[in-house]
Structures are given as C-alpha cells and as structure tokens.
Amino acid sequence: MGPVRQLLSGVDLTEQQWRVLRVVQESGPIDPTQIADQACLLLPSLTRILQKLEEKGFIDRARDETDRRRQVVTLTATGMEVIEQNIDASLALIERTREKMGAEDYEALLDLLRKLNGLEL
Amino acid sequence: MGPVRQLLSGVDLTEQQWRVLRVVQESGPIDPTQIADQACLLLPSLTRILQKLEEKGFIDRARDETDRRRQVVTLTATGMEVIEQNIDASLALIERTREKMGAEDYEALLDLLRKLNGLEL
DNA sequence: CCAAACTACTTAACATGTTATGCTTATGCG
DNA sequence: CGCATAAGCATAACATGTTAAGTAGTTTGG
C-alpha cells in the first residue's frame, strides 16, 4: 500500500478514505453498513472515516426517511472531482502491480485470499 | 486473526505481543531492529509493544554494552511460561487453518504473499 | 397494542500502523 | 583528533483496528 499512500498524499486522503470514496462512487447512494461490507471495514472505523470525508466536503450524509435508523451517503461534486483527478493513477498502480506479479499469480493470490476470508475457523 | 485473538485474550496478550514473544523465544536474546524485521513491525510500534511486554514482566531489556545504542531483549521466566501455556493451542490453530484451506493452497498463499512483499513497485 | 428484542449507527477506550522528529551513541574521514 | 553523518531507539501526532457499551428507531410476539 505504500505507493497508494504516496499517490493519495497529494490530496490529503488515506487509503481507507479513498476506498470508501470509490465504493460510494461505484455504488451510488448507499448506507454505511453496505459500505463497510464492500470496503472490508468495521462500522466503528467507518463512522470516523465518514466523519472525516464529510468534514473535507467529499460526501454528504442524509437520514433515510423510510428507515430513520439508516443513512444515505452521497458523493459531492468535490468528491467526484477528487476521484476523477486520481482514478487513472490509481488504476495504473493496480495494473502495474498485476504486471509485476504476473497476471496468473495476481489472480491466484486474490482467489486464495477470498478463500481464506470465507473460511470458518 | 479472530481465533488467535480469542486464544490470547485469556492471558491478556494481543496478536502482536504474542508474535514478538515468539520471535524472542525462537531467536534467543535479540535486539529490537531484528525483532521488527522478523515480526514485520515498524520500530515505533515495536517500541510500544516492548514497553507493554516489559510492564507485564514477560521480557527484560538491557543495554548492549558493546554498542550502547542497542538493546538486548530477553524472555523472563514468566514469559517462557506464557509461551509454554499457549504454544500448543497456537500451533494447533495454524494447523487447523492449513487443513481447512488445503495444504497446497495454504503454501501457495504464503508463497504469493512473500512474492508480493518482495516486489519493488 | 405494547414491551422486549433487534437493527443501524455512534462513542469510548485501548492497541497498532504510519510518518516525522528528536536523542544518544558510533563511525568515517579529512 | 574533531566534526559531519549515520545508526538505533524513543516520542509525538494522527488514522485505523477492535471490542464493548450506548442511543435511537423498528419490528415482533403475546
């Protein structure tokens, strides 16, 4: 993750903050529980991350009027800009890693990690 | 790591504290820089962990009289006891994970992780 | 219909990850 | 020898991981 942190340091974002932004971008309006699931974060961590992202003006949070326990997280225009400005470098970094490892090994690693993650120990 | 944390919660040790204890046990008297290397920890984290382990009475720290910048970390009798009391369950947990994943996949995962770790991005 | 159980999220407290900085002791070199 | 530099740790500051509790809103069984 070192290169990722370096990439994001220019816009004052951490790995996790970036990951959450990307999840919101790809999913559209979404509630924290689903974000946590997709970003592999526990809710207490996500709570703090969403607070930071809101302070920075990258997301908005609204109460879900159907179920008032829930929130709806949305990207702001600023948030979309930040993603646009960094997405190419981010994807390039992933691709570079994939090439350095070899595509087959890269996929094999992901599969094995998913398998380990799915295990009941 | 969930099961590991559960295993160690009985003796009030965290994963990393346990890992450091194990490194010291296997290496014998050793300095913090080498511990950090073997346990995959950064020195600031290790500093705090060693402080905790010393408070708990599981390790001793002495200045290296040859090079007074260095320390020598040693297991105490209490530290050895804690390891003896938990090592079997710890190894059993590793073995169980290995079996659940399948030995081949388990080894393949370790190899791929080592490969990724060795990569220069 | 209502109290108990549950869900979604927050807060708190402590441990660690990460980067930058500081301090002390060693080393290399002119 | 004497100083600049480097090595080995410690500290500080902030972000996250992890577990336990707390709060508000919802659902459900009697």
Side-chain angles (χ1 to χ4, degrees):
Chain A
M1 296 309 294
V4 176
R5 285 193 296 273
Q6 191 187 341
L7 170 67
L8 296 171
S9 64
V11 281
D12 190 34
L13 278 177
T14 66
E15 311 161 26
Q16 289 82 350
Q17 289 165 7
W18 172 252
R19 190 147 35 102
V20 168
L21 278 185
R22 291 276 286 127
V23 167
V24 177
Q25 180 216 6
E26 298 205 324
S27 311
I30 185 176
D31 61 277
T33 299
Q34 290 185 62
I35 296 175
D37 181 56
Q38 292 190 41
C40 292
L41 293 168
L42 297 176
L43 271 172
S45 293
L46 184 61
T47 295
R48 288 176 306 213
I49 293 168
L50 290 177
Q51 287 165 351
K52 295 285 179 187
L53 289 175
E54 192 172 25
E55 284 171 22
K56 298 181 192 215
F58 296 153
I59 61 165
D60 279 330
R61 290 200 283 177
R63 205 167 37 211
D64 180 333
E65 289 305 332
T66 305
D67 182 342
R68 293 158 41 121
R69 292 170 302 185
R70 283 199 171 80
Q71 296 176 13
V72 182
V73 178
T74 318
L75 273 187
T76 63
T78 312
M80 290 188 230
E81 277 177 36
V82 172
I83 289 182
E84 282 167 15
Q85 287 161 8
N86 293 278
I87 187 66
D88 289 346
S90 173
L91 294 177
L93 193 48
I94 294 173
E95 185 52 31
R96 195 145 63 88
T97 304
R98 181 189 170 99
E99 284 173 6
K100 290 231 180 191
M101 271 202 80
E104 285 182 31
D105 282 355
Y106 182 88
E107 298 300 332
L109 177 54
L110 290 183
D111 283 344
L112 288 170
L113 288 174
R114 275 187 284 260
K115 179 170 182 177
L116 178 61
N117 188 239
L119 239 52
E120 274 314 313
L121 304 174
Chain B
M1 295 310 292
V4 176
R5 285 193 296 274
Q6 190 188 340
L7 170 67
L8 297 171
S9 63
V11 282
D12 189 35
L13 278 177
T14 66
E15 311 162 25
Q16 289 82 350
Q17 290 166 5
W18 172 252
R19 189 146 38 101
V20 169
L21 278 186
R22 292 276 287 126
V23 167
V24 177
Q25 180 217 6
E26 299 206 322
S27 311
I30 185 176
D31 61 277
T33 298
Q34 290 185 62
I35 296 176
D37 182 56
Q38 292 190 41
C40 291
L41 293 168
L42 296 177
L43 271 172
S45 294
L46 184 61
T47 295
R48 288 175 307 210
I49 292 169
L50 290 176
Q51 287 165 351
K52 295 285 178 184
L53 289 175
E54 193 171 27
E55 286 172 21
K56 297 180 195 221
F58 296 152
I59 62 164
D60 279 329
R61 291 199 283 177
R63 203 165 42 207
D64 181 331
E65 289 305 333
T66 305
D67 182 341
R68 295 164 37 123
R69 293 170 303 183
R70 282 199 170 81
Q71 294 175 15
V72 182
V73 178
T74 318
L75 273 188
T76 63
T78 311
M80 289 187 232
E81 278 177 35
V82 172
I83 290 182
E84 283 168 13
Q85 287 161 9
N86 293 278
I87 187 67
D88 289 345
S90 174
L91 294 177
L93 192 49
I94 293 173
E95 184 51 30
R96 194 145 63 87
T97 303
R98 183 189 169 98
E99 284 173 6
K100 291 231 180 190
M101 271 201 81
E104 285 182 30
D105 283 356
Y106 182 89
E107 297 302 332
L109 177 54
L110 290 184
D111 282 345
L112 288 170
L113 288 174
R114 275 187 283 261
K115 180 169 182 178
L116 178 61
N117 186 240
L119 238 53
E120 274 315 315
L121 304 174

